[in-house]
Amino acid sequence: MIKKLALVLLFIGITVVGTLLWAQQQVELYLTSPRVQETQLFTLEEGRYFSHLGTQLVGVGLLDNTTWWKVISKLKPELTKIKAGTYQLQKGASLQEILTELTTGRQFEFKLTFVEGSTYKDWLIILQEAEHLQPLKEIEQSLLEKLGSPHKKIEGLLFPETYHYTVNMTAFSLIKKAYLHQQTVLAKQWKGRDKGLPYKTPYDALIMASIIEKESSLANDRDKISSVFVNRLKIGMRLQTDPTVIYGMGDRYNGRIRSRDLREKTAYNTYTIKGLPPTPIAMPSEEALYAALHPAKTKYLYFVSKGDGTSYFSKNLREHNNAVNKYIRGK
């Protein structure tokens, strides 16, 4: 009788151990099998608990069933400390890797690139088309007030570079980041400026930097282009730069500047106004700002594009006209 009982207990023990080993293998397989067929974004909403997550994963096809879901919460409690957010799940990721990612709180970051020389109008288009970004609600004037800026236009006040954001961040938060960055850069560059420059305020330098940005296709020419405009300002000569004419034309610009456009009296037409235009005409880079505050030491008063990305610089009108005939008119 005792022997029979011992055999029964032994059988039960073997069965239990076997069942536990089998269950352990199934859980391991459940956790480590590849689940993500293609790299994708996955959003876990606020207020969702681990118990809800399994159903959500089944719903989006990342999990076949929730058979072992409660077992996982007991065996691996560290994987249940999930955080709300949008995450990027890599191709081939297992359930364990998915859960590990969701416990980090390290949300996927989208990015927007604003290039040097772009305008606020360009920025608005990019912001409007950005995915998972809350739209900009403020008009320009209220936006400037919210930023604490004393200026009437935001043009030039935003630093052009690549910015990162997470799901449902506001467009205003990116604008504010770009604004503060430009303020920091401007303050630093203004502090180290050359002496004797014809600027009354840092904002004047920002205006000049925006013109240099639009006029320079080659970085090495920036300081010489700056010297041309600085030399003109010092002797009271008009800047006569086409990008300011184009900016003043606004939506009327169709790719061509006619003689009547050069004669038109707008606030930005530096062929008709003296000195700098009232605001920047684009978002300048730090390099353009540096050039505005550190012009080359030259006597140049003119420059013309040579058609290969470089410019020809002249000290007098006769030399400039000869360069125009050679490089523009082909004479």
Side-chain angles (χ1 to χ4, degrees):
M1 187 69 179
I2 295 177
K3 288 183 179 181
K4 287 183 179 181
L5 180 60
L7 288 173
V8 170
L9 292 175
L10 178 61
F11 177 77
I12 293 174
I14 293 173
T15 302
V16 170
V17 171
T19 301
L20 290 174
L21 288 174
W22 175 83
Q24 187 177 11
Q25 290 174 350
Q26 293 303 306
V27 171
E28 190 67 21
L29 187 64
Y30 191 72
L31 280 169
T32 59
S33 297
R35 299 289 180 179
V36 184
Q37 294 184 354
E38 296 294 338
T39 298
Q40 60 185 271
L41 296 181
F42 178 82
T43 299
L44 181 65
E45 302 291 348
E46 288 285 351
R48 303 289 288 181
Y49 298 103
F50 186 75
S51 57
H52 304 134
L53 177 60
T55 304
Q56 185 178 352
L57 290 174
V58 171
V60 296
L62 292 174
L63 203 59
D64 298 328
N65 55 69
T66 56
T67 304
W68 301 101
W69 200 250
K70 290 185 178 180
V71 178
I72 291 174
S73 65
K74 301 296 183 182
L75 294 179
K76 294 184 178 290
E78 70 276 8
L79 296 180
T80 66
K81 299 175 182 179
I82 54 176
K83 298 178 177 66
T86 296
Y87 302 86
Q88 186 176 64
L89 306 181
Q90 298 297 328
K91 179 179 180 180
S94 66
L95 177 58
Q96 181 160 321
E97 290 169 328
I98 293 173
L99 295 176
T100 299
E101 184 66 25
L102 267 57
T103 62
T104 64
R106 184 178 58 246
Q107 294 193 55
F108 177 77
E109 290 188 335
F110 299 86
K111 63 181 181 179
L112 291 178
T113 298
F114 303 96
V115 298
E116 298 89 347
S118 57
T119 64
Y120 182 55
K121 182 179 178 180
D122 299 326
W123 282 54
L124 287 177
I125 294 172
I126 293 173
L127 290 170
Q128 184 178 3
E129 295 177 349
E131 56 181 339
H132 302 295
L133 182 69
Q134 291 188 25
L136 189 66
K137 300 177 181 178
E138 298 83 1
I139 61 174
E140 189 168 1
Q141 287 305 311
S142 59
L143 181 63
L144 287 164
E145 292 174 6
K146 198 171 179 180
L147 291 171
S149 172
H151 303 293
K152 295 181 179 180
K153 286 180 70 70
I154 201 168
E155 199 72 82
L157 298 178
L158 308 179
F159 189 82
E161 67 169 3
T162 297
Y163 292 92
H164 295 82
Y165 67 95
T166 55
V167 169
N168 289 330
M169 274 184 63
T170 63
F172 173 76
S173 65
L174 290 186
I175 292 286
K176 183 177 181 180
K177 186 181 295 185
Y179 173 77
L180 294 175
H181 192 171
Q182 188 73 298
Q183 291 296 299
T184 300
V185 169
L186 180 58
K188 181 185 72 172
Q189 293 294 342
W190 179 256
K191 186 177 180 180
R193 69 190 183 279
D194 288 351
K195 295 181 179 179
L197 295 173
Y199 312 131
K200 295 179 180 179
T201 66
Y203 192 66
D204 287 343
L206 195 63
I207 295 172
M208 177 62 81
S210 72
I211 296 173
I212 294 170
E213 190 71 70
K214 299 299 286 186
E215 282 282 17
S216 57
S217 57
L218 190 68
N220 291 339
D221 281 347
R222 284 193 182 118
D223 62 339
K224 292 190 286 292
I225 290 174
S226 177
S227 75
V228 170
F229 293 136
V230 166
N231 290 341
R232 287 188 173 199
L233 286 177
K234 285 182 176 180
I235 63 175
M237 183 177 175
R238 288 173 180 167
L239 296 182
Q240 297 181 317
T241 169
D242 290 355
T244 62
V245 178
I246 293 170
Y247 190 82
M249 292 173 67
D251 293 335
R252 293 186 293 113
Y253 178 67
N254 61 3
R256 293 180 59 191
I257 299 178
R258 300 171 178 82
S259 297
R260 65 173 180 268
D261 298 323
L262 299 179
R263 295 191 300 269
E264 183 183 11
K265 292 184 178 180
T266 72
Y268 290 89
N269 186 353
T270 52
Y271 284 85
T272 61
I273 65 172
K274 292 183 179 180
L276 294 165
T279 74
I281 60 172
M283 309 297 183
S285 62
E286 185 169 5
E287 291 76 14
L289 188 56
Y290 182 89
L293 293 168
H294 302 275
K297 309 302 180 185
T298 77
K299 295 183 179 180
Y300 295 139
L301 290 173
Y302 304 90
F303 67 94
V304 62
S305 172
K306 294 168 66 175
D308 60 357
T310 62
S311 298
Y312 184 89
F313 295 86
S314 306
K315 298 176 182 178
N316 56 64
L317 185 57
R318 180 179 180 182
E319 184 183 2
H320 175 65
N321 287 336
N322 289 337
V324 170
N325 285 331
K326 179 178 180 180
Y327 296 111
I328 303 299
R329 298 170 182 162
K331 295 182 180 179

